[in-house]
Amino acid sequence: MKFSLAVAFLATASAFSPAFNTQPRVALTPNVEVSSDVQSHRTRRSTIVMDGKANAIRDRIKSVNNTRKITMAMKLVAAAKVRRAQDSVLATRPFSETLQSVFGGLINRLGGEAVDLPLLTKREIKKVTLVVITGDRGLCGGYNAQMIKKAEARVNELTEQGIDYELVLIGNKGITYFERRGYNIAETMPTGQNPTAKQANEISEKLLAGYLSGETDTVELLYTKFVNLISSTPSVRTLVPLSATDIAVEEDEIFQLTSESGEFSVEKTTKEAAEPQEFPNDMIFEQDPTQILNAILPLYINGQVLRTMQESVASELAARMNAMQSASDNAKELSKNLTQVYNRARQAAVTQEILEIVAGAQAVEN
């Protein structure tokens, strides 16, 4: 009984006693001094790497490179759509030239007679219809913001003059902006990436119906004029009432997207006004020339609406090309800087490991 109690007491005491270190100890004589390298190694701090680890930097580099691939692809897609938009403009060019030529010939045939047509008659302006053309999507730099700013400035100008207004919005970006701010909106519709004659005809019919019925006194087009791949200018032009002189002498500009030395560029060609068609003096018209002019003018307005929409789409695509090119350049620069940071961090980590190995070897030798 006494023996068992003694064993239990010893077991209980050993449970609360500190554990002994079973590993062999290296005895240092009082005459041996620890080297300064070992001392500095003991006080050395670990190398700080951005984002905590070098792997985080490597993942970020990979992410930036993937983003650059996406922006470059978007730039090439925009370039292809610019070419398509140019083909659409060139396809409508013969019809516009013929229409302008016939119109000029009829004006010359009438001579100095006063042409009394509703679309050519100016009247007192009490209400203005503003047709604002914006894009359906973003990622195109300041294209949409500049057009919206231009429209707001025109609305404020009309309001200060005491003239009423209404907005016909073409493009989702403009629709979203003006609807949230409570502007007077008459019609809304998307722009699309490839405006068609059917879409332009639908818009022009509504505009002409409002003008001929007296609901509005003038119609103004606010669109983005294509200058080149780098710049575009928000512009305002009066669609209705028309001026017979301006129609007959109006020039045209054609832009061709080309690639020189691997870089995109634009060739600009100015087309002079079409020569008026000559009608013989003894030619007899089945209808009065004034009635023919009255039938031609809606076609001309339809062509102008289509042309401004196509030019706005081309400006939007050019702005998107520039935005994606800038994003790609920025991604390339960021990837370069991150690669330098990653290489420095990796080199610092390798250097520290080498110092630790050397310091441990010196400690063992001593």
Side-chain angles (χ1 to χ4, degrees):
M1 179 65 75
K2 293 181 179 180
F3 178 74
S4 61
L5 291 174
V7 172
F9 177 76
L10 291 174
T12 304
S14 63
F16 290 95
S17 63
F20 294 98
N21 189 4
T22 58
Q23 296 182 357
R25 296 182 178 179
V26 179
L28 298 178
T29 59
N31 296 330
V32 178
E33 296 180 357
V34 180
S35 63
S36 60
D37 293 340
V38 178
Q39 290 289 350
S40 62
H41 172 68
R42 290 178 179 176
T43 60
R44 184 186 301 276
R45 296 182 179 180
S46 60
T47 304
I48 299 177
V49 182
M50 182 180 293
D51 294 335
K53 296 180 181 179
N55 291 337
I57 303 177
R58 186 170 61 249
D59 293 341
R60 191 177 178 191
I61 293 173
K62 184 178 179 180
S63 176
V64 170
N65 289 333
N66 291 336
T67 302
R68 185 186 174 211
K69 292 179 182 178
I70 294 173
T71 54
M72 286 299 296
M74 293 181 67
K75 175 192 173 183
L76 296 177
V77 170
K81 290 182 178 180
V82 168
R83 291 183 182 274
R84 191 183 308 166
Q86 290 176 345
D87 294 339
S88 300
V89 173
L90 292 177
T92 60
R93 175 66 187 171
F95 176 76
S96 300
E97 288 181 343
T98 304
L99 193 65
Q100 188 180 31
S101 177
V102 172
F103 184 86
L106 291 174
I107 292 295
N108 293 338
R109 177 64 181 269
L110 292 174
E113 298 180 11
V115 181
D116 186 15
L117 295 176
L119 296 179
L120 297 179
T121 304
K122 294 184 179 181
R123 55 198 184 199
E124 183 182 359
I125 299 177
K126 297 180 180 179
K127 185 176 182 180
V128 178
T129 299
L130 301 177
V131 183
V132 184
I133 303 176
T134 59
D136 290 336
R137 296 183 297 171
L139 296 178
C140 51
Y143 169 79
N144 292 313
Q146 291 176 359
M147 192 69 259
I148 290 173
K149 184 178 179 181
K150 184 76 172 180
E152 280 188 321
R154 182 57 178 159
V155 168
N156 294 334
E157 182 181 353
L158 293 174
T159 304
E160 292 176 356
Q161 296 175 1
I163 300 175
D164 193 12
Y165 75 92
E166 65 178 4
L167 296 178
V168 176
L169 303 177
I170 304 175
N172 293 334
K173 286 296 181 179
I175 295 172
T176 303
Y177 181 88
F178 289 106
E179 281 184 346
R180 289 180 178 177
R181 288 158 178 80
Y183 284 83
N184 181 21
I185 300 175
E187 294 286 342
T188 60
M189 61 195 69
T191 306
Q193 293 296 309
N194 187 21
T196 61
K198 181 179 179 181
Q199 184 181 5
N201 186 44
E202 180 183 354
I203 297 171
S204 62
E205 284 182 353
K206 293 180 180 179
L207 297 176
L208 289 177
Y211 179 79
L212 295 176
S213 64
E215 296 178 2
T216 184
D217 299 312
T218 183
V219 179
E220 296 182 358
L221 271 176
L222 285 78
Y223 68 103
T224 305
K225 185 176 181 181
F226 185 84
V227 179
N228 51 46
L229 287 178
I230 300 177
S231 64
S232 54
T233 306
S235 303
V236 181
R237 64 175 299 177
T238 300
L239 183 64
V240 179
L242 297 169
S243 172
T245 305
D246 293 340
I247 296 175
V249 300
E250 184 179 11
E251 295 182 347
D252 197 2
E253 293 179 345
I254 297 178
F255 299 90
Q256 288 286 345
L257 180 64
T258 61
S259 56
E260 298 179 357
S261 303
E263 297 292 336
F264 290 109
S265 61
V266 171
E267 293 182 356
K268 178 179 177 181
T269 305
T270 302
K271 296 288 186 179
E272 296 182 356
E275 292 292 334
Q277 186 171 349
E278 296 183 1
F279 297 107
N281 295 329
D282 56 350
M283 178 179 288
I284 300 175
F285 294 95
E286 291 185 1
Q287 294 178 334
D288 187 82
T290 303
Q291 296 180 357
I292 299 176
L293 285 176
N294 198 24
I296 288 178
L297 289 177
L299 296 177
Y300 175 80
I301 293 174
N302 185 18
Q304 292 302 306
V305 172
L306 178 60
R307 184 59 185 271
T308 52
M309 292 179 64
Q310 291 173 340
E311 193 166 355
S312 296
V313 169
S315 301
E316 178 189 357
L317 294 173
R320 183 169 288 112
M321 285 179 58
N322 289 329
M324 293 302 101
Q325 181 63 48
S326 299
S328 301
D329 295 340
N330 293 337
K332 181 179 179 181
E333 185 67 21
L334 180 59
S335 176
K336 179 181 177 182
N337 296 336
L338 289 174
T339 302
Q340 293 179 352
V341 173
Y342 172 75
N343 291 336
R344 291 172 183 173
R346 185 179 60 178
Q347 184 180 4
V350 172
T351 304
Q352 181 177 349
E353 291 178 1
I354 294 174
L355 291 176
E356 292 176 353
I357 294 172
V358 172
Q362 290 180 354
V364 172
E365 290 177 0
N366 295 334

